[in-house]
Amino acid sequence: MTGIDAPTHPFDTAIAVEYIDGHRLAGHTCPDYANMVGPFGGVTAAALLRAVERHPERVGDPLSLTVNYAGPIADGPFEITARPVRTNRTNQHWQLELTQDGTVTTTATAVFGIRRDTWSDLELSMPSVPGPDTEGVEPQIFPDFIAWGRNYDLRFVAGAVPDVEPTAEIPENPDSVSTLWLRDTPARPVDFASLTAMSDAFYPRVFLRRGRYLPAGTISLTVYFHATAEELAAQGTEYLLGRARANRFGHGHFDQIAHLWGHDGTLLATSHQLVYFKG
Amino acid sequence: MTGIDAPTHPFDTAIAVEYIDGHRLAGHTCPDYANMVGPFGGVTAAALLRAVERHPERVGDPLSLTVNYAGPIADGPFEITARPVRTNRTNQHWQLELTQDGTVTTTATAVFGIRRDTWSDLELSMPSVPGPDTEGVEPQIFPDFIAWGRNYDLRFVAGAVPDVEPTAEIPENPDSVSTLWLRDTPARPVDFASLTAMSDAFYPRVFLRRGRYLPAGTISLTVYFHATAEELAAQGTEYLLGRARANRFGHGHFDQIAHLWGHDGTLLATSHQLVYFKG
């Protein structure tokens, strides 16, 4: 939809940040993107990215973003500071903080830069899997307490979310791999901000391995943006293909890596996160 | 060696940082760990980690570290600020900056935390490869202009560094995978700081793919520490096994992921970096 009557997409409402002065911005959590505790981490990361995108001194497009989830974010207003600490000829380094009532809940760093044509090659090809409309590739219905899940159309090819109610026979999974098609619902053309959020749309791998929900939360998330703005624009509202897995679980933590390809096979982003868990 | 006559290992000299006051530390680049321009990025990352390790308010051991290489570091003194921005019950979030004459060259964030026993599993097993003393697993001799290379004993199983002098027939490699045994030389028991540096000891993947040296430099490096202090201590001075690869090259950048296992098969660390290249 276009024109003056076009409604604002809930994602744009959730990541809306406005400059107050200098390097300070105001934002507000959005119930549509609530997680079990506080907002969905992906939408917090996207709001931080958007803060840089909207800064008048911003140079280029996102290359990398690291977000550290230092403490819970309460429902309500928050403040972001976005400071360009160094601007080079072709890239720019940012430091960010998200605070509530003066308490730091989230820190981040970002690198933006100008892309240019060079030798190129894709080593990690998109896996060949059944399409999103294939029988058996069913939409995932999240439980009510995961509000943000309702804003994504997630169609799992493999490694779907376990049932909330553990059964007598918990089906532990031999590996932590999920492969799924995903897009915003309602549909929204993908951009760097939504790509950021989708990089965190893979539920904690420990749920899959243990076959049940457990207390778990992202400590640190890093996204590398491979896509150019043109490559992203070419995706429109098509499904992206995502694949996530973990390498090692132990001592209360695990890592989680994810890859996102466009429907045309372009690797758009890779993400890595360190996750805390109990049990 | 132990006792009062034990010489300081060059790595410890290179990452030596001393608190001046509050959150400020002084350090100095070390010619032994010089790279083509400025110091080896791994030793800069290790100095930043060491700054947190030496902070009187530090809680626990390293969980994750992200270092952003914003600009070149000149040979000579530098200053680090290491600020604990949030301390929780079981983890602590840090923001760091490395400056020279008031100019930011490097930013970083770190998460430290306390590990506890939980369910555990290793999904990414150590590849089965010939040992470091096998015929054909030859020590890599770096060219003179890569000083830091002389402080590592790198024995490549596959994907060795190309020759500096490009030949008429440049042997481009079909993939970006290097697999190698590595340890400090002279030998030094591995600790979190040296593990950090070794996470960056994999030369730029674009060299391997193109079969030659090119202008390239790390923009952002993230290390996840899977090892407990005890698991690290158990490694002693044995070789670690490393494997690195890239997922996508294009538009002046590529990503590079690396895994480091102990000789006993323990996954000690995973690292990811975004690298700038020309050509």
Side-chain angles (χ1 to χ4, degrees):
Chain A
M1 275 202 276
T2 55
I4 54 163
D5 293 317
T8 302
H9 192 283
F11 183 75
D12 293 292
T13 304
I15 66 164
V17 285
E18 296 294 334
Y19 273 89
I20 309 165
D21 58 55
H23 303 310
R24 290 194 310 139
L25 303 94
H28 201 287
T29 62
C30 176
D32 288 335
Y33 285 84
N35 204 348
M36 286 180 273
V37 179
F40 165 45
V43 89
T44 302
L48 289 158
L49 190 87
R50 180 53 55 90
V52 176
E53 288 184 320
R54 296 199 58 153
H55 196 289
E57 294 165 28
R58 188 253 304 172
V59 170
D61 287 323
L63 295 175
S64 76
L65 173 73
T66 294
V67 180
N68 300 293
Y69 299 90
I73 298 175
D75 295 338
F78 57 77
E79 199 172 293
I80 290 173
T81 58
R83 205 165 53 90
V85 291
R86 182 155 176 155
T87 301
N88 298 312
R89 199 169 48 80
T90 60
N91 69 34
Q92 191 173 44
H93 287 255
W94 293 81
Q95 271 184 337
L96 298 109
E97 274 187 5
L98 193 153
T99 57
Q100 285 187 313
D101 293 328
T103 300
V104 175
T105 67
T106 322
T107 68
T109 60
V111 187
F112 275 54
I114 294 162
R115 291 182 167 87
R116 59 190 198 293
D117 283 344
T118 58
W119 175 80
S120 66
D121 189 64
L122 175 63
E123 278 199 33
L124 194 70
S125 305
M126 182 163 77
S128 178
V129 299
D133 297 316
T134 310
E135 200 181 314
V137 180
E138 302 297 339
Q140 175 89 40
I141 309 299
F142 273 103
D144 283 347
F145 58 83
I146 302 180
W148 67 266
R150 292 192 288 274
N151 294 94
Y152 289 97
D153 178 358
L154 304 174
R155 301 188 174 208
F156 282 79
V157 176
V161 190
D163 291 333
V164 175
E165 298 298 333
T167 51
E169 293 281 319
I170 296 173
E172 299 207 349
N173 211 54
D175 67 43
S176 65
V177 180
S178 285
T179 306
L180 62 153
W181 296 99
L182 71 167
R183 64 177 175 183
D184 288 298
T185 182
R188 177 182 178 280
V190 66
D191 57 14
F192 287 113
S194 66
L195 189 64
T196 301
M198 287 185 204
S199 293
D200 189 38
F202 305 89
Y203 69 94
R205 303 291 88 200
V206 73
F207 293 7
L208 179 58
R209 286 299 309 275
R210 307 307 308 279
R212 57 193 169 92
Y213 284 65
L214 295 165
T218 303
I219 292 177
S220 185
L221 168 73
T222 290
V223 183
Y224 294 155
F225 301 91
H226 297 284
T228 64
E230 293 70 28
E231 286 170 351
L232 266 193
Q235 305 306 321
T237 58
E238 294 282 340
Y239 286 94
L240 308 186
L241 184 71
R243 177 168 278 182
R245 68 164 297 174
N247 293 311
R248 185 184 169 188
F249 301 84
H251 303 288
H253 302 94
F254 62 93
D255 61 335
Q256 179 159 328
I257 64 172
H259 302 105
L260 283 166
W261 293 267
H263 68 283
D264 55 358
T266 308
L267 183 65
L268 303 175
T270 54
S271 82
H272 313 97
Q273 57 181 271
L274 189 73
V275 187
Y276 155 96
F277 78 100
K278 269 190 181 170
Chain B
M1 274 203 276
T2 55
I4 54 166
D5 294 316
T8 302
H9 192 282
F11 182 76
D12 293 293
T13 304
I15 67 164
V17 285
E18 296 294 334
Y19 273 89
I20 310 163
D21 58 56
H23 302 310
R24 290 194 310 138
L25 303 94
H28 201 289
T29 63
C30 176
D32 288 335
Y33 285 85
N35 204 350
M36 287 180 272
V37 179
F40 164 46
V43 89
T44 302
L48 289 159
L49 189 86
R50 181 52 55 91
V52 177
E53 290 185 318
R54 296 199 57 155
H55 196 288
E57 294 165 28
R58 186 254 304 172
V59 170
D61 287 324
L63 295 176
S64 77
L65 173 72
T66 293
V67 180
N68 299 293
Y69 300 90
I73 297 175
D75 293 340
F78 56 78
E79 199 172 293
I80 290 173
T81 56
R83 204 164 53 89
V85 291
R86 180 151 177 160
T87 301
N88 298 312
R89 200 168 48 82
T90 60
N91 70 33
Q92 191 173 43
H93 287 255
W94 293 81
Q95 270 184 338
L96 298 109
E97 275 188 4
L98 193 153
T99 58
Q100 284 187 313
D101 293 327
T103 300
V104 175
T105 67
T106 322
T107 67
T109 59
V111 187
F112 275 55
I114 295 163
R115 290 180 169 88
R116 62 191 195 294
D117 284 343
T118 57
W119 175 79
S120 66
D121 190 64
L122 175 63
E123 277 199 34
L124 194 70
S125 304
M126 182 162 78
S128 180
V129 299
D133 297 317
T134 310
E135 201 181 313
V137 181
E138 302 295 341
Q140 175 89 39
I141 308 299
F142 274 103
D144 283 347
F145 58 83
I146 302 180
W148 68 264
R150 292 192 288 276
N151 293 95
Y152 289 97
D153 179 358
L154 305 174
R155 301 189 173 206
F156 282 79
V157 175
V161 190
D163 290 335
V164 175
E165 298 298 336
T167 52
E169 293 282 319
I170 295 173
E172 298 206 349
N173 212 54
D175 67 45
S176 64
V177 180
S178 284
T179 306
L180 63 151
W181 296 98
L182 71 166
R183 64 177 175 183
D184 289 298
T185 181
R188 178 184 178 281
V190 66
D191 57 15
F192 287 113
S194 66
L195 188 65
T196 300
M198 287 186 204
S199 294
D200 189 38
F202 305 87
Y203 69 93
R205 304 292 87 202
V206 74
F207 293 7
L208 179 57
R209 286 299 310 276
R210 307 306 309 277
R212 55 193 171 93
Y213 283 65
L214 295 166
T218 303
I219 292 176
S220 186
L221 168 72
T222 291
V223 183
Y224 293 155
F225 301 91
H226 297 284
T228 63
E230 293 70 30
E231 286 169 351
L232 266 192
Q235 305 305 321
T237 58
E238 295 282 340
Y239 286 94
L240 308 187
L241 184 71
R243 177 167 279 183
R245 68 164 296 173
N247 293 312
R248 185 182 170 188
F249 302 85
H251 304 288
H253 303 94
F254 62 93
D255 61 335
Q256 179 160 327
I257 64 172
H259 302 106
L260 284 165
W261 293 268
H263 68 282
D264 55 358
T266 307
L267 182 66
L268 303 174
T270 54
S271 84
H272 315 97
Q273 56 181 271
L274 189 74
V275 187
Y276 156 96
F277 78 102
K278 271 190 184 171

